[in-house]
Amino acid sequence: MKNLKYERIANNHKPKEKKSKNALMAFLSGGFLGLVAEFLINFYSNCFSLSRNTASTLMVVTFIFIASLLTALGVFDKLVNHFKCGLLIPITGFAHSMTSSAMDYKKEGLIYGIGMNIFKLSGSVILYGVVSAWFFGMIRYFIGGA
Amino acid sequence: MLYFNSFLFCGFICLIGELILDNSKLTTGHITSLFVVIGAFLDTFGIYDFIIKKVGGGSLIPITSFGHSLIHGALAKTNSMGIIGIFMGMFDLTATGITAAIIFSFLFALIFKPKN
């Protein structure tokens, strides 16, 4: 009885998350990043007369650089609070997870701190990416002959 | 037209991620891993290549493109090397992204002091 009452009171005071607002913010910020990506590819390929493939590689490196720098300066976490998945699903989230885990464990030293923990969060992305790519690649190789 | 498609596609992927995050108990770690697997799956039969042709830069930014490049490099290598090419070519296309992330995060972690 007491538990039920407690639960009701706690639920009333829980901060209500605005799901529709979150979704809109994620859509707009993600879309904005996509727009910047396309712009950067055009910019690099026109200015430095690179092929489209090289320009897109350079674009990815630019995004990773900016995301790492902002994370190290502590700005990225504030932005993530506002935009959530809009910044975490793009490649910026990958760079953010690596830099933030490196920063968090910096005080434990170079080997036991940064070295062992840098892949803490992004390790799952690499692991499941490689395993699934290997699995699907084997299927494709035997069925379609690639 | 590519700009408009980029905005819509990248925004749409992020929207799906946000909806999953808000309406279930999965964390962002689950969602990014899931999206990588989806990207690898979509490239198995060349669907993601079609999307890249239509969308442009907006399809190279979401984490799904990471899975796509993993399997794409692996399959490209099988043409010359046979089945061992899957192991050899796995990181061919993603090497820049991973290397850049490692270098920059290590350097910035050395240079800057943690805020908290």
Side-chain angles (χ1 to χ4, degrees), chain A residues 117-129:
Chain A
N117 292 298
I118 193 164
F119 282 111
K120 206 157 211 188
L121 296 162
S122 52
S124 75
V125 171
I126 296 180
L127 169 68
Y128 290 110

Side-chain angles (χ1 to χ4, degrees), chain A residues 92-106:
Chain A
T92 47
F94 183 76
H96 163 70
S97 65
M98 283 187 70
T99 313
S100 61
S101 47
M103 300 280 283
D104 283 349
Y105 289 94
K106 189 186 175 185

Side-chain angles (χ1 to χ4, degrees), chain A:
Chain A
M1 195 61 206
K2 236 180 183 177
N3 279 341
L4 272 177
K5 203 173 175 189
Y6 170 77
E7 225 167 66
R8 208 182 310 139
I9 295 173
N11 273 335
N12 282 339
H13 292 282
K14 235 187 227 169
K16 272 177 191 157
E17 285 187 43
K18 292 166 191 160
K19 286 182 183 174
S20 52
K21 193 190 157 219
N22 279 347
L24 185 70
M25 287 305 250
F27 179 74
L28 289 180
S29 55
F32 178 71
L33 284 188
L35 203 65
V36 173
E38 178 62 28
F39 172 76
L40 276 179
I41 290 180
N42 280 336
F43 177 75
Y44 285 142
S45 58
N46 287 334
C47 278
F48 308 118
S49 58
L50 299 167
S51 72
R52 203 177 154 82
N53 274 340
T54 322
S56 49
T57 310
L58 205 58
M59 175 272 291
V60 169
V61 174
T62 314
F63 266 95
I64 289 173
F65 178 81
I66 294 172
S68 297
L69 184 64
L70 289 183
T71 308
L73 291 172
V75 185
F76 204 89
D77 287 311
K78 285 172 196 161
L79 291 176
V80 165
N81 283 338
H82 286 287
F83 300 115
K84 305 240 164 85
C85 272
L87 293 175
L88 292 174
I89 296 294
I91 198 83
T92 47
F94 183 76
H96 163 70
S97 65
M98 283 187 70
T99 313
S100 61
S101 47
M103 300 280 283
D104 283 349
Y105 289 94
K106 189 186 175 185
K107 61 176 182 298
E108 289 175 28
L110 283 179
I111 305 295
Y112 283 92
I114 295 180
M116 284 186 172
N117 292 298
I118 193 164
F119 282 111
K120 206 157 211 188
L121 296 162
S122 52
S124 75
V125 171
I126 296 180
L127 169 68
Y128 290 110
V130 169
V131 170
S132 63
W134 173 79
F135 182 72
F136 292 135
M138 292 294 258
I139 291 178
R140 175 69 205 264
Y141 184 77
F142 284 117
I143 292 179

